[in-house]
Amino acid sequence: MTRILRSLGFWLALISSPLSVNAQLLQFDRFFPAAVSLGHPSLIAAEGKFPAWPVEIFCDREDVKISCGEKAGELRVEADAKATPGCAWVRLADSQSASSLKPLLIESTSVQLEQEPNGAIREATAVSLPATVFGRLDKNEDVDTFRFDVKQGQLIHARVIANHILGSDMDAVLQLTDLNGNVLKQSDDEVGTDPQLVIIAARNQTLVARIFAFPETPNSTIGFAGAASFLYAIQLSHSNVVDHFLPLLDHCKDLSLQAFGWQETKESDNYVAQFAEATSLSPRIAYIQGQASWQWLPRFQLGDFSISPASLYALRCWLSNSSSR
């Protein structure tokens, strides 16, 4: 009997051992909010499980400083006022394990959190433009709304960052409405599955940005979806906006870029691209000072040679013509 009990105890210990080890592993799911503003120290949360605190923090950007707060999961973030807007990639680790990389948006405008309840237009969170609003559609049928004042003739730009960059497993829909709920414009899939829209204000009025979502992978459920992972940021502005730069790829140190987007005026003096050098995890960034828009510029490499997009296109055309002869 003693031998049987010993054998049983051995196998129970063997079976339970991986579970006890896994239970002690660090689990870092996401930041909330996953956005901070340049020049404004922020207190944010690392959501997950942290058996040991404080933890080690690895960030790919030297101009973004992150440190542990007193409580588990509490982080202090400071992005230098002269830093580049874009994205920082962060990993947390302890003596037993390390997390995967998580994105943290670095915004050139103020970052404002949604205030629940804000599902109905009368409950909409008030926002002063320009701003980046951050929120979460955390349950099924969840809808978030934000209201802001505009003047006649102003260019209003709204862009959602969710599935793209943040990796939220949602397919968002963004609407701009008036205070009566009339939909003035709607966007679904613009940047991948993330919405983006632009309108010109018809008069002085208060507009409402309304966001809801469906699962990234469609299922049989009919209705709006929500989950802890349904994070989003909405960049709201009422001035000139850069959507993208051409060429899309980086091919030389003195790269000359042309900006494309929406302008209230024809003057393009403020549309001169600036650059932030590549990090160990991200390619070089192109951006316009004072604007939220930015773009990664990955390099196209062929062995030891860098090929520009124009040269690549010319080579493709030449090969196509040659094969048709």
Side-chain angles (χ1 to χ4, degrees):
M1 178 62 71
T2 302
R3 181 179 299 177
I4 294 175
L5 290 176
R6 287 178 178 174
S7 178
L8 181 60
F10 171 78
W11 286 109
L12 286 175
L14 186 63
I15 293 172
S16 63
S17 178
L19 296 178
S20 62
V21 171
N22 289 336
Q24 299 302 312
L25 296 182
L26 177 151
Q27 178 184 326
F28 176 30
D29 298 324
R30 64 192 70 87
F31 288 113
F32 190 88
V36 297
S37 181
L38 293 175
H40 296 277
S42 303
L43 195 64
I44 66 174
E47 297 184 343
K49 297 179 181 179
F50 305 98
W53 192 266
V55 295
E56 292 186 78
I57 302 171
F58 301 91
C59 179
D60 71 326
R61 291 183 49 160
E62 295 182 356
D63 54 4
V64 177
K65 307 299 182 183
I66 307 176
S67 59
C68 293
E70 294 182 0
K71 300 178 181 179
E74 186 179 77
L75 296 173
R76 291 185 293 267
V77 183
E78 185 171 356
D80 189 274
K82 297 181 180 179
T84 305
C87 179
W89 293 98
V90 182
R91 188 192 308 276
L92 303 184
D94 58 22
S95 60
Q96 301 296 323
S97 56
S99 73
S100 59
L101 293 165
K102 302 298 179 183
L104 179 64
L105 298 176
I106 311 301
E107 297 291 317
S108 58
T109 59
S110 64
V111 174
Q112 184 171 340
L113 289 179
E114 63 162 322
Q115 300 296 321
E116 294 283 2
N118 65 342
I121 289 178
R122 66 180 181 277
E123 303 169 332
T125 301
V127 179
S128 296
L129 271 55
T132 297
V133 294
F134 197 92
R136 171 165 31 207
L137 300 169
D138 59 359
K139 58 183 181 297
N140 289 338
E141 305 302 327
D142 196 4
V143 177
D144 290 343
T145 58
F146 304 87
R147 59 181 174 86
F148 49 90
D149 295 329
V150 299
K151 295 180 180 180
Q152 181 178 0
Q154 276 189 328
L155 182 150
I156 309 302
H157 173 262
R159 177 195 178 196
V160 173
I161 300 176
N163 184 268
H164 178 59
I165 301 178
L166 291 181
S168 302
D169 50 344
M170 58 186 270
D171 184 353
V173 177
L174 181 67
Q175 296 176 334
L176 283 186
T177 78
D178 60 21
L179 290 178
N180 294 319
N182 299 309
V183 178
L184 306 179
K185 197 161 187 179
Q186 174 173 309
S187 175
D188 187 359
D189 301 336
E190 185 67 27
V191 182
T193 61
D194 289 344
Q196 177 177 247
L197 52 80
V198 175
I199 68 168
I200 303 296
R203 61 182 185 277
N204 296 348
Q205 62 182 133
T206 299
L207 296 182
V208 176
R210 179 163 58 194
I211 185 172
F212 50 89
F214 302 96
E216 178 186 12
T217 303
N219 55 38
S220 59
T221 301
I222 299 176
F224 304 151
S229 59
F230 278 31
L231 303 181
Y232 65 83
I234 308 177
Q235 295 174 337
L236 295 167
S237 62
H238 52 33
S239 60
N240 295 348
V241 177
V242 171
D243 179 70
H244 63 279
F245 298 92
L246 288 180
L248 299 174
L249 299 180
D250 187 0
H251 60 87
C252 66
K253 185 70 175 179
D254 299 321
L255 179 64
S256 178
L257 294 180
Q258 185 175 1
F260 292 84
W262 299 270
Q263 295 174 266
E264 291 180 312
T265 66
K266 296 299 182 181
E267 298 177 2
S268 57
D269 293 342
N270 296 327
Y271 264 41
V272 178
Q274 299 185 38
F275 301 95
E277 293 306 314
T279 71
S280 59
L281 297 173
S282 294
R284 192 151 58 132
I285 285 178
Y287 67 101
I288 300 285
Q289 187 68 40
Q291 295 193 12
S293 301
W294 55 274
Q295 178 180 308
W296 278 310
L297 295 171
R299 293 183 66 84
F300 182 84
Q301 294 285 145
L302 184 62
D304 295 330
F305 300 95
S306 296
I307 298 183
S308 71
S311 300
L312 182 63
Y313 179 74
L315 177 62
R316 180 179 176 183
C317 292
W318 181 82
L319 292 174
S320 178
N321 292 335
S322 298
S323 60
S324 62
R325 291 175 183 173

